Amino acid sequence: SQTIHQWPATLVQPVGSPLSLECTVEGTSNPNLYWYRQAAGRGLQLLFYSVGIGQISSEVPQNLSASRPQDRQFILSSKKLLLSDSGFYLCAWARGQGFTDTQYFGPGTRLTVL
Amino acid sequence: AQSVTQLDSQVPVFEEAPVELRCNYSSSVSVYLFWYVQYPNQGLQLLLKYLSGSTLVKGINGFEAEFNKSQTSFHLRKPSVHISDTAEYFCAALYSGGYQKVTFGTGTKLQVIP
């Protein structure tokens, strides 16, 4: 069976510090991978998605970046965090073919920027 | 632009009463629709999805939703709610040609009152 992991579960960082959140998927190959941010009262915002190693599409221009160094690893980064980066970050995966595939979500990372 | 609208940000309902959570999507020739549930501090879990066929879709935990093309709606219903149904519910749409990017609504918080 497939599983998706995210870490850390919670993170408190000062403004201006760097960020690295990691997401890994087990039990499948060549998944589509997604990073979402959930801010209070604002629903889910798609940040990045990837259809393969090294292939990253950005949905929202901002100070965040994403990388996919391995097939089942997706990393969200920032060089300098802003207060507005606080939120709940969710990683998700879906099978790579077709438009009807369900997205499976990880447990999330709660980021607080102070 | 493609969009998903959940007009109710919060829905309080008494235990064992019926509930309907509303979702409307922007019209499209081809759209696939999903409902996800999120329990506090957790990722999202798929409740049900509509891809094609019968417009009445049954999901987990006794939930069902009806696809109404003429009204561009996909409302979620449950005939009798339990305390354990207290969570946030997200409607989502996958539009054909959207490169597997799902558009989420802003969510509806269901509060079941004992």
Side-chain angles (χ1 to χ4, degrees):
Chain A
S1 64
Q2 300 84 16
T3 55
I4 178 168
H5 304 280
Q6 284 186 250
W7 63 89
T10 59
L11 191 60
V12 180
Q13 291 286 93
V15 169
S17 64
L19 172 74
S20 181
L21 303 182
E22 189 164 343
C23 170
T24 58
V25 181
E26 296 176 355
T28 189
S29 60
N30 197 32
N32 285 354
L33 296 171
Y34 307 82
W35 276 112
Y36 291 89
R37 178 169 60 203
Q38 187 177 24
R42 296 183 61 184
L44 279 162
Q45 180 185 36
L46 179 63
L47 301 175
F48 301 95
Y49 71 97
S50 171
V51 298
I53 296 174
Q55 300 178 60
I56 308 294
S57 296
S58 174
E59 288 298 295
V60 182
Q62 53 201 327
N63 67 318
L64 299 173
S65 62
S67 62
R68 186 170 176 174
Q70 300 180 41
D71 181 43
R72 290 168 288 177
Q73 183 184 31
F74 204 24
I75 297 172
L76 182 69
S77 304
S78 174
K79 292 182 179 178
K80 287 186 177 181
L81 283 169
L82 306 173
L83 284 174
S84 57
D85 291 325
S86 292
F88 193 46
Y89 288 81
L90 289 162
C91 181
W93 74 273
R95 289 186 175 82
Q97 300 298 322
F99 292 106
T100 63
D101 293 316
T102 302
Q103 293 197 357
Y104 300 93
F105 287 80
T109 295
R110 175 77 58 192
L111 173 65
T112 304
V113 182
L114 301 175
Chain B
Q2 295 151 347
S3 65
V4 175
T5 303
Q6 291 180 251
L7 287 175
D8 305 309
S9 59
Q10 294 191 48
V11 173
V13 63
F14 286 103
E15 193 174 15
E16 297 183 5
V19 69
E20 178 180 84
L21 305 183
R22 297 182 293 168
C23 172
N24 288 88
Y25 62 94
S26 55
S27 182
S28 173
V29 174
S30 181
V31 63
Y32 307 105
L33 297 162
F34 306 79
W35 274 100
Y36 287 86
V37 60
Q38 184 182 31
Y39 298 102
N41 295 311
Q42 295 184 27
L44 278 68
Q45 178 184 2
L46 181 70
L47 270 180
L48 48 80
K49 62 182 176 182
Y50 171 78
L51 305 180
S52 64
S54 172
T55 56
L56 183 63
V57 181
K58 293 189 182 297
I60 62 172
N61 301 341
F63 284 93
E64 63 181 31
E66 186 160 17
F67 172 62
N68 188 320
K69 189 173 182 178
S70 63
Q71 297 186 6
T72 61
S73 68
F74 190 56
H75 300 333
L76 181 70
R77 302 185 183 99
K78 186 169 183 178
S80 176
V81 295
H82 301 131
I83 292 291
S84 59
D85 293 323
T86 296
E88 189 159 17
Y89 293 80
F90 290 91
C91 182
L94 183 60
Y95 294 91
S96 177
Y99 301 101
Q100 303 183 43
K101 293 184 295 181
V102 176
T103 302
F104 283 86
T106 52
T108 298
K109 290 184 178 179
L110 174 64
Q111 183 184 3
V112 180
I113 305 165

